[in-house]
Amino acid sequence: MTHRRHVSLALTRRVASIMKEMSDGACVVRRGVILEHAPGTRNPVTWVDCLAVSAFGVFVIDQYDWMGTVTRSTTDDELLVREGSGVVCARTSPLRRAKPALRHLRSILGEFNCPIDGIAVFVDLYCTLDPRLPETLLQGSELHHFMRTRLNRFRGGHCRFLDARMIATHVQSRCADWGRG
């Protein structure tokens, strides 16, 4: 768990910097959040490296350090990773892994009418992403552009900006562990 918290600290700092640059209002960025989405079941919680609540949406962001070239598989729940040695292995898609957290957040934040996105950020040095992958699978260098696009999409919908602090407080009240800022 210590390694994941260390990785998510760097990611959280980067996300906080991007959010601060893009938002005049408050934003809340937490690392190491544990969402209890299915109490009483075999897998009741989901770890989130970074949870960002902004005036234009809520973002579940996880970082991956896969090595190789990542491409689509025959199913949306898997991705193929071709390692430098030529070995190809199937891995569970980060988007599949994020589904329980996204479903939980959508259920508890329905009254706020806010966009909720799951994002997987891959470490640039070790990984190449096929351009045909979903837009929420990103190289680290694409994170700023992705957030800017989401902000502009939100503005384009002529929506009123969200109260990030109120939404964050609501999410915090439903978390098994609110993590660290």
Side-chain angles (χ1 to χ4, degrees):
M1 189 75 79
T2 304
H3 175 67
R4 282 189 69 97
R5 285 200 183 271
H6 176 70
V7 168
S8 63
L9 176 59
L11 176 65
T12 302
R13 286 181 176 160
R14 187 160 178 219
V15 170
S17 173
I18 290 169
M19 292 296 188
K20 184 178 178 184
E21 180 182 318
M22 291 187 184
S23 180
D24 293 336
C27 65
V28 177
V29 180
R30 305 295 295 186
R31 68 181 165 104
V33 174
I34 299 175
L35 298 173
E36 186 174 18
H37 57 82
T41 66
R42 192 170 140 221
N43 297 311
V45 299
T46 296
W47 167 279
V48 174
D49 285 340
C50 178
L51 181 70
V53 181
S54 73
F56 57 95
V58 175
F59 302 91
V60 171
I61 308 166
D62 288 308
Q63 181 168 304
Y64 291 84
D65 60 356
W66 295 0
M67 299 208 289
T69 301
V70 181
T71 59
R72 286 186 177 271
S73 178
T74 55
T75 171
D76 289 340
D77 288 343
E78 280 185 344
L79 295 174
L80 299 177
V81 181
R82 179 179 298 279
E83 297 173 356
S85 63
V87 174
V88 176
C89 61
R91 295 205 181 165
T92 302
S93 170
L95 301 181
R96 169 67 185 105
R97 291 178 188 266
K99 279 183 182 179
L102 296 173
R103 194 172 28 252
H104 177 67
L105 288 170
R106 287 179 180 127
S107 74
I108 66 171
L109 295 176
E111 68 190 82
F112 294 97
N113 195 29
C114 67
I116 300 169
D117 273 312
I119 305 165
V121 177
F122 292 84
V123 178
D124 291 307
L125 298 175
Y126 308 113
C127 188
T128 303
L129 300 178
D130 185 299
R132 294 169 290 193
L133 290 171
E135 66 181 0
T136 55
L137 299 177
L138 311 171
Q139 294 289 152
S141 60
E142 298 173 313
L143 187 58
H144 186 275
H145 177 75
F146 177 87
M147 289 299 186
R148 192 179 77 208
T149 301
R150 287 303 194 260
L151 171 60
N152 289 332
R153 184 180 297 170
F154 187 85
R155 280 185 187 145
H158 305 290
C159 297
R160 218 178 72 215
F161 282 107
L162 306 168
D163 183 336
R165 289 191 198 279
M166 183 179 1
I167 293 171
T169 299
H170 189 73
V171 172
Q172 180 181 2
S173 72
R174 303 286 189 85
C175 282
D177 184 347
W178 185 232
R180 293 181 168 86

